[in-house]
Amino acid sequence: MLKRFYAFWVVLCLCVGVLLSNISYAKGTEKLSINKQGIKVWTQQIKDNPMMHYRAETTLNTSIENAVGLILDTDRGKTWIPYVTDIQVIDRDDAAGEFVIYIKFDFPFPLNDRDLVVKGKMSKNNKGQMIVKNTAIKDPRVPLKNNVIRITRYEGDWVLTKLSAKQVKVSTSGFADPAGSIPTSFVNTFVEQQPYQMLQRMKQYVKTVKYSSDDLPSALR
């Protein structure tokens, strides 16, 4: 098995702690903010919420198993995902596809670093889609740290859809409250740019790895 256990699903979504919530989108109010290099990012302003929501998608020229294997490889993920300084697996159940992980983010000065405890559920539906739903939780096993702000409002999802033996559609959407004092303009800039940058890097990195179904947790086989 890979040295990974799920953190990368969350890391791609969060990177600077400004993303994601599993919100039902009113697609008529979405704005297509980025559409280049085969990657699309939509943003949406929700009433009474200063932070924008987003939805992003792209198509990768690889197998769904290879794409998922890359996403699950936290050791590799930490080498190419900016701002992430620590990923720890707190609990996991491969058969059930459930996990609890801790992630720490290095925010630029003068902002405080952020961290997050996430409970996730992975599944494979009858259409063969691989789905991950994540939620921020409180966990007594992960106490608060000095000078690090804990993100407590976060939900997000990922969906991987097999298009052919060598093509997979990757979709993600959501929202998070990064907590503390961060300019809304700073946050919303990352809401647009971060999904694009991460999917762009994923397109390149998936060419350098080779994972199979044997590398995946049993819940996804």
Side-chain angles (χ1 to χ4, degrees):
M1 295 290 289
L2 299 169
K3 294 180 180 179
R4 38 73 173 136
F5 300 112
Y6 322 125
F8 195 77
W9 290 100
V10 183
V11 173
L12 273 179
C13 301
L14 276 167
C15 276
V16 286
V18 296
L19 308 176
L20 307 190
S21 168
N22 188 17
I23 300 295
S24 296
Y25 284 90
K27 293 187 178 180
T29 65
E30 284 183 326
K31 171 189 174 183
L32 181 59
S33 299
I34 297 176
N35 183 9
K36 58 183 179 180
Q37 295 187 324
I39 301 169
K40 293 182 179 181
V41 179
W42 294 266
T43 56
Q44 182 181 9
Q45 196 74 55
I46 302 297
K47 184 179 179 181
D48 300 325
N49 192 334
M51 310 303 180
M52 288 194 297
H53 299 68
Y54 90 94
R55 180 170 62 92
E57 67 180 33
T58 193
T59 298
L60 304 178
N61 293 320
T62 190
S63 68
I64 190 170
E65 293 83 7
N66 196 42
V68 173
L70 174 63
I71 287 173
L72 296 179
D73 191 341
T74 55
D75 281 353
R76 186 180 296 273
K78 287 186 290 186
T79 68
W80 63 276
I81 303 174
Y83 308 107
V84 175
T85 59
D86 191 17
I87 301 174
Q88 298 177 25
V89 178
I90 308 303
D91 198 5
R92 67 176 183 262
D93 184 333
D94 286 358
E98 297 176 347
F99 58 90
V100 177
I101 57 174
Y102 168 82
I103 305 174
K104 185 174 181 289
F105 306 95
D106 179 16
F107 272 48
F109 180 83
L111 300 175
N112 288 88
D113 291 347
R114 262 65 175 174
D115 65 6
L116 174 74
V117 182
V118 170
K119 182 177 182 179
K121 173 68 175 179
M122 305 177 67
S123 62
K124 184 176 182 179
N125 65 21
N126 56 12
K127 296 180 180 179
Q129 292 177 314
M130 298 188 184
I131 301 167
V132 180
K133 294 185 178 294
N134 301 309
T135 306
I137 63 169
K138 295 180 179 180
D139 193 310
R141 294 172 293 182
V142 188
L144 298 176
K145 300 180 182 296
N146 291 334
N147 300 317
V148 178
I149 295 176
R150 179 66 48 89
I151 296 172
T152 59
R153 291 183 57 208
Y154 155 70
E155 294 181 7
D157 60 22
W158 282 81
V159 179
L160 275 76
T161 304
K162 180 178 179 180
L163 302 179
S164 69
K166 291 296 181 180
Q167 240 185 13
V168 56
K169 179 180 177 181
V170 179
S171 303
T172 183
S173 62
F175 160 81
D177 181 353
S181 299
I182 299 182
T184 301
S185 58
F186 173 87
V187 173
N188 286 339
T189 295
F190 275 100
V191 170
E192 290 187 359
Q193 292 296 322
Q194 199 67 21
Y196 170 75
Q197 293 170 5
M198 292 298 96
L199 291 180
Q200 185 182 42
R201 292 185 181 191
M202 191 177 180
K203 277 178 170 285
Q204 297 303 313
Y205 267 78
V206 79
K207 299 175 183 178
T208 69
V209 295
K210 190 174 182 180
Y211 301 106
S212 69
S213 60
D214 292 339
D215 297 309
L216 305 184
S218 54
L220 294 180
R221 296 180 190 171

